Amino acid sequence: MRAFTMVQWSPYVVGLLIGVLNLIALLLSNKVLGASTSYAKASGMVRKIFDKEYVEKNAFYLKTAPNVDWGFMLVIGIVIGAFLSAALSGDFNIVWVPAMWANEISGSFFVRFIVAVFGGVVLGIGSRWAGGCTSGHGISGTSQLSIISWIASICFFIGGVVTAFLVYGL
Amino acid sequence: MTKLHDNKGMQLFFGLLMGIVFGFLLHKGGVTKYDVILGQLRLMDFTVLKIMLSAVIVTMLGISYLYPKQKIQLHVKAGSIKNAVIGGLLFGIGFGTLGYCPGTIAGAVGNGYLDGLLGGMLGIIIGSGVYAAMYSTLKSKKIITEDRFSEKTLFEVFEGNPFRYTLPISGVLAVMMIILEVAGL
């Protein structure tokens, strides 16, 4: 199976197969691909360790219960699947600072760590505010022809492109 | 099918299995890498958009076939256009600084990116917790809203054969990808 040991496939083949996977998820699990809700559930699980009452009374966690469900397993699966593909193709590497960032911004892990945490916090707030992420809105919502998903996805990229140019310059 | 959908243990297993396939594909697409995602946001490498657009075309045409036959249900997020704009732009700022999104960061972790595991995942979980803490206030002050209109999808709005509009939309998306290829991006 040479395909499995190739580092990269055509983006069109990958996209087509993600589309097929999304249809299988609809048929077999009555779900669509989406990742961000699982992080909200994880935040509730962590908070629950310290303050059970807070989570039980919080309006958000009443709506998004902090439990392990299909979507949570999906995110765990993504880690495993990406590892399998990377390991099979000899592309698994421990990276502390991504090459582009190291070359153009800073080689320090501490700087990259702080920026990644900041980015993650803003992204976490934004994904809940918008109700989804690049997969939930960007692929699943848009393909169901939901108006808010199209608007959210366009805003993801407007915000992302402007920020990337602010970080790296024109 | 409903019986299968209600089988909790089986669904957890399916979630894991589909996640493994999803993660495998994300890595094979190259989007578990910071440099590829930032390449997209810096408009130098359009891999992310090519994957997304082809996935959208396939899912949309599949839904056009399955939905009228009542083989599947639609799952659209509640919210409003206002939430989508504010939340979407916030997400974009995070996307541009972190360099991963919630799905691809899980893939990046599997690929060995420790900035994603130690920094990004921690940040996303904290951010989601911050949102949970703000949620009631945002709602009572009507900063986040819900309107019934934006929950609708074109599949529900238009009666009859969905291919009437999904084929032309697919055509437009395909033309976008052809333009990207011709432009050598």
Side-chain angles (χ1 to χ4, degrees):
Chain A
M1 293 301 273
R2 262 200 64 207
F4 287 131
T5 56
M6 280 166 70
V7 173
Q8 203 158 342
W9 293 353
S10 154
Y12 304 111
V13 172
V14 170
L16 183 148
L17 292 174
I18 290 175
V20 172
L21 178 67
N22 221 347
L23 294 171
I24 293 173
L26 274 169
L27 284 167
L28 294 185
S29 298
N30 195 22
K31 300 268 188 203
V32 284
L33 299 175
S36 61
T37 309
S38 300
Y39 296 85
K41 287 177 179 278
S43 76
M45 290 176 207
V46 175
R47 188 77 195 241
K48 220 172 172 177
I49 300 170
F50 302 102
D51 195 346
K52 204 168 172 219
E53 208 181 332
Y54 170 87
V55 174
E56 279 166 0
K57 285 184 179 161
N58 178 290
F60 177 79
Y61 292 123
L62 286 172
K63 189 171 65 93
T64 312
N67 53 16
V68 173
D69 64 350
W70 183 91
F72 201 87
M73 296 303 286
L74 186 84
V75 174
I76 295 172
I78 295 174
V79 179
I80 301 171
F83 172 75
L84 283 176
S85 171
L88 278 173
S89 51
D91 187 47
F92 178 81
N93 300 300
I94 293 292
V95 178
W96 292 88
V97 182
M100 186 190 281
W101 179 273
N103 290 335
E104 296 183 48
I105 309 284
S106 152
S108 148
F109 177 70
F110 182 70
V111 174
R112 175 61 195 146
F113 172 78
I114 297 296
V115 172
V117 173
F118 167 81
V121 170
V122 180
L123 184 139
I125 296 172
S127 63
R128 290 285 48 80
W129 200 304
C133 61
T134 335
S135 43
H137 270 317
I139 294 176
S140 302
T142 52
S143 52
Q144 294 177 79
L145 299 174
S146 146
I147 298 151
I148 51 169
S149 289
W150 276 94
I151 293 172
S153 308
I154 291 166
C155 291
F156 293 165
F157 279 95
I158 293 175
V161 168
V162 170
T163 307
F165 278 106
L166 286 174
V167 171
Y168 282 95
L170 286 171
Chain B
M1 273 302 178
T2 331
K3 222 175 172 181
L4 181 65
H5 295 163
D6 290 339
N7 186 334
K8 264 192 163 176
M10 200 59 167
Q11 287 306 329
L12 290 179
F13 174 67
F14 280 166
L16 183 70
L17 208 62
M18 291 180 203
I20 291 174
V21 176
F22 194 22
F24 197 92
L25 291 171
L26 289 174
H27 175 264
K28 287 281 178 260
V31 292
T32 57
K33 296 179 171 72
Y34 174 93
D35 290 18
V36 174
I37 295 176
L38 254 292
Q40 173 67 69
L41 297 179
R42 294 173 76 183
L43 309 178
M44 303 187 303
D45 167 359
F46 279 74
T47 303
V48 175
L49 204 61
K50 288 175 191 170
I51 292 176
M52 288 180 70
L53 292 179
S54 28
V56 168
I57 292 176
V58 173
T59 312
M60 183 171 62
L61 293 178
I63 292 174
S64 304
Y65 175 75
L66 295 167
Y67 182 65
K69 293 186 189 298
Q70 293 176 326
K71 299 267 187 206
I72 53 160
Q73 292 170 353
L74 297 177
H75 300 272
V76 190
K77 315 274 184 167
S80 65
I81 290 174
K82 186 182 164 193
N83 299 358
V85 171
I86 300 172
L89 291 174
L90 276 173
F91 181 97
I93 295 168
F95 193 20
T97 41
L98 173 57
Y100 312 102
C101 54
T104 53
I105 197 170
V109 169
N111 204 168
Y113 284 85
L114 295 181
D115 61 327
L117 174 67
L118 303 173
M121 277 196 164
L122 174 74
I124 301 175
I125 293 172
I126 295 174
S128 306
V130 170
Y131 181 83
M134 300 190 302
Y135 178 72
S136 295
T137 316
L138 290 174
K139 210 172 174 185
S140 65
K141 293 202 170 152
K142 298 213 174 3
I143 301 169
I144 53 166
T145 52
E146 253 181 54
D147 60 60
R148 295 216 165 268
F149 164 75
S150 50
E151 274 182 52
K152 294 235 176 206
T153 90
L154 295 193
F155 288 107
E156 294 164 326
V157 173
F158 295 134
E159 307 235 325
N161 188 350
F163 284 109
R164 281 182 299 127
Y165 47 89
T166 54
L167 279 176
I169 295 170
S170 303
V172 172
L173 299 181
V175 167
M176 281 172 69
M177 293 194 287
I178 293 168
I179 293 172
L180 288 175
E181 283 301 323
V182 171
L185 288 166

